[in-house]
Amino acid sequence: MSESLTIALSKGRIFEETMPLLAVAGITPLENPEHSRKLVIKTNRPEIRFIIVRASDVPTYVQHGAADFGIAGLDVLIEHGGEGLYQPLDLNIARCRMMVAALESFDYAFAVRVGARLRVATKYVQIAREHFAAKRMHVDLIKLYGSMELAPIVGLADVIVDLVSTGNTLKANHLVPVEQIMDVSSRLVVNQAAFKLKRSEMMPVMDIFRSACRMTDRQEGKI
Ligand code: AMP
């Protein structure tokens, strides 16, 4: 049997949208992590396994060589810093937008115009810091780990920086998007050292992702 390859990814949207890409090459998990409590999931290919980790931990597992590959959102990669990682491929999955959002009653354009000092609640402090620094705005960043939408409602912050997909979560909490920071999608990441040592084993897996992405692009009429 050839040397084993480990792919780190998170449950939910990333797992669900990655499986069809691998299925193109006949690679399928033996269990569904949504129904199983197992954190190591075997596949029908003995040399390939998944490990199920928190989305924000994926780059750490790959950086330290505990996984050869990982699949992580651009947001997570920017916050992590990307040290020790190659990012060879945008898989174009789990697409959403990083937005600034505020209560419907908050006049963001006015606050920007008069140079108000804003309180910004977010999980994405690095992205928020760079965004407001580029706008030359002074902000107080308030780090949260979830439910950012609550912060403006209870007066903890003036605005939030968060991922928006359908916009339903913002709407349900009387928030509106006021500025787009970036488009976000998930990327394949590779441990740089593992890639040098195991290039011949890892290349075929990278090629599987690359050609699966090309097929999906074709189906979407992009090429
Ligand atoms: P939505 O109501 O569809 O706009 O989704 C917004 C909620 O889902 C927010 O709490 C976001 O943090 C989260 N979210 C949306 N898209 C993603 C994504 N691609 N990855 C992680 N979280 C996301």
Side-chain angles (χ1 to χ4, degrees):
M1 192 176 77
S2 55
E3 207 171 342
S4 75
L5 292 174
T6 300
I7 305 175
L9 74 182
S10 52
K11 281 204 282 201
R13 213 171 144 188
I14 289 185
F15 188 87
E16 281 157 24
E17 295 189 30
T18 301
M19 290 311 111
L21 297 180
L22 290 172
V24 170
I27 301 169
T28 52
L30 297 186
E31 276 176 280
N32 181 342
E34 298 298 342
H35 305 140
S36 156
R37 286 172 182 267
K38 283 197 185 154
L39 300 174
V40 179
I41 307 272
K42 291 183 183 171
T43 73
N44 59 335
R45 293 266 291 268
E47 77 280 18
I48 299 177
R49 64 177 187 172
F50 301 118
I51 57 172
I52 306 300
V53 303
R54 267 187 87 122
S56 51
D57 291 335
V58 166
T60 307
Y61 277 84
V62 180
Q63 177 190 3
H64 292 279
D68 303 293
F69 296 100
I71 297 169
L74 179 61
D75 52 316
V76 165
L77 292 169
I78 294 175
E79 291 300 317
H80 170 269
E83 200 190 322
L85 306 175
Y86 287 134
Q87 298 180 30
L89 200 54
D90 181 356
L91 299 174
N92 252 316
I93 58 170
R95 292 202 316 231
C96 56
R97 287 151 293 143
M98 186 67 75
M99 306 284 298
V100 182
L103 282 175
E104 289 154 356
S105 55
F106 185 78
D107 192 344
Y108 179 71
F110 177 75
V112 172
R113 209 162 48 240
V114 300
R117 189 177 182 116
L118 293 181
R119 294 166 305 151
V120 180
T122 188
K123 191 158 95 176
Y124 308 98
V125 285
Q126 194 58 32
I127 292 170
R129 186 179 293 119
E130 282 174 22
H131 175 70
F132 289 108
K135 286 172 70 75
R136 299 185 177 280
M137 285 178 68
H138 290 288
V139 294
D140 294 313
L141 292 172
I142 300 165
K143 165 90 184 179
L144 292 178
Y145 293 87
S147 303
M148 267 84 82
E149 297 83 4
L150 189 59
I153 298 172
V154 296
L156 177 64
D158 303 304
V159 299
I160 62 170
V161 167
D162 195 9
L163 295 174
V164 177
S165 179
T166 60
N168 290 340
T169 309
L170 291 183
K171 212 175 284 167
N173 292 290
H174 306 291
L175 296 169
V176 285
V178 291
E179 197 162 66
Q180 174 156 346
I181 299 179
M182 62 175 76
D183 286 317
V184 169
S185 57
S186 289
R187 321 277 158 125
L188 184 68
V189 294
V190 181
N191 177 283
Q192 286 174 350
F195 190 62
K196 283 181 191 136
L197 292 171
K198 296 204 257 178
R199 198 186 172 94
S200 57
E201 285 94 345
M202 290 175 75
M203 269 314 264
V205 176
M206 273 170 63
D207 287 341
I208 286 167
F209 277 111
R210 196 167 280 127
S211 53
C213 284
R214 248 185 251 129
M215 273 183 67
T216 330
D217 283 352
R218 196 165 291 132
Q219 276 158 12
E220 287 181 5
K222 280 196 224 141
I223 52 175

